[in-house]
Amino acid sequence: MLCSWRTADLGLLLILTVFLVGVNTSCLVSINKKAVLSCPPVQLATLVLIRWEINLRDKPSCAKAYKRETNEIKDTGCTDEQITWASRPDQNPDLQIEPVAITHDGYYKCEMATMHGNFQHGYHLQVLVTPEATLFLSENRSVVCKAVAGKPAAQISWTPEGDCVTQQEGWGNGTVTVESTCHWEGHSVSTVTCSVSHLTGNKSLSIELNSGLRTSVSPVSPLLIILYVKLSLFVVILVIAGFVFFQRIMIAEDDYIHDSESLPSPLSM
């Protein structure tokens, strides 16, 4: 991401410098991306000195400087290897940060001394972290939407609106987790949507409810499926066994009747 402040007319720049001493720009950069901070556009042939002052959050100030007369580059207290010159300072005085980390939050100022005067421009760099959004049904029959570890804190809204309680929890690295818990008691609601709004992008999550409170029926567990199959097989076996037993009884009765008919009558003896 390029954070720049440009003007094509050097004469106009010289005039504006009188009135824009200490001009600052807000610069938003997503974590793990590349950031390039630009100095005021001056003619490099008139350049005498370039100095970047870097003030990171919770760290001492440091500086990177280039002196054209001696072609000397000097670092004073700068130890972060992700913060470098974008190129050779005599060709491109921009500052480069790659990859951007949460610790790169801070204030960066480019100061340029030229034959025509001094110029400066500062950047308030804010590192953005996309929150992880989740939506689920809690044990107390409420729906919970969470935006975990976002920077800055995300905003959560609901469709339709319900009875909601939203709270935030901050972490030591500057990220914030936002949790919103809602219920729709007494309302006929089948589906609710949680919308998470953030500077890095928006996300919507939906969940279906039963009677406005529960999610749709959960799938049957594998254990229950096995139990159902075993029970079904047992019933089938019982039916087959019963049918075989009944057949045997019928055959036995037929044999008995046949044998009885084949015996001589007592009167004929």
Side-chain angles (χ1 to χ4, degrees), residues 146-150 153 167-179:
K146 297 182 71 173
V148 181
Q167 56 186 5
Q168 297 185 2
E169 181 178 5
W171 304 99
N173 60 0
T175 61
V176 180
T177 294
V178 183
E179 177 177 312

Side-chain angles (χ1 to χ4, degrees), residues 208-260:
E208 294 183 0
L209 308 180
N210 181 21
S211 300
L213 291 173
R214 290 183 177 271
T215 56
S216 56
V217 178
S218 300
V220 180
S221 68
L223 182 60
L224 288 177
I225 293 176
I226 295 173
L227 182 60
Y228 292 154
V229 171
K230 288 184 176 181
L231 182 60
S232 299
L233 290 175
F234 180 73
V235 171
V236 171
I237 292 172
L238 284 180
V239 172
I240 295 174
F243 177 78
V244 172
F245 180 75
F246 179 77
Q247 288 292 101
R248 288 182 176 180
I249 292 177
M250 294 297 295
I251 293 173
E253 288 180 353
D254 290 341
D255 291 340
Y256 177 78
I257 294 173
H258 178 72
D259 292 339
S260 298

Side-chain angles (χ1 to χ4, degrees), residues 77-92:
C78 293
T79 58
D80 194 323
E81 296 181 356
Q82 278 77 40
I83 304 176
T84 62
W85 296 95
S87 180
R88 288 175 47 185
D90 60 328
Q91 297 179 353
N92 182 0

Side-chain angles (χ1 to χ4, degrees), residues 120-185:
Q120 67 178 32
H121 192 78
Y123 297 89
H124 292 285
L125 182 67
Q126 181 180 4
V127 180
L128 306 179
V129 180
T130 303
E132 180 182 356
T134 59
L135 180 65
F136 58 92
L137 191 67
S138 67
E139 295 180 356
N140 62 355
R141 301 170 65 87
S142 296
V143 181
V144 180
C145 183
K146 297 182 71 173
V148 181
K151 184 176 179 296
Q155 300 293 323
I156 295 179
S157 59
W158 293 88
T159 305
E161 295 182 357
D163 299 321
C164 305
V165 175
T166 302
Q167 56 186 5
Q168 297 185 2
E169 181 178 5
W171 304 99
N173 60 0
T175 61
V176 180
T177 294
V178 183
E179 177 177 312
S180 182
T181 303
C182 294
H183 67 279
W184 290 263
E185 185 176 355

Side-chain angles (χ1 to χ4, degrees), residues 7-17 41-43 46 116 119:
T7 179
D9 191 331
L10 180 59
L12 178 60
L13 175 63
L14 293 173
I15 296 174
L16 291 177
T17 303
V42 302
Q43 293 181 357
T46 67
H116 302 293
F119 306 88

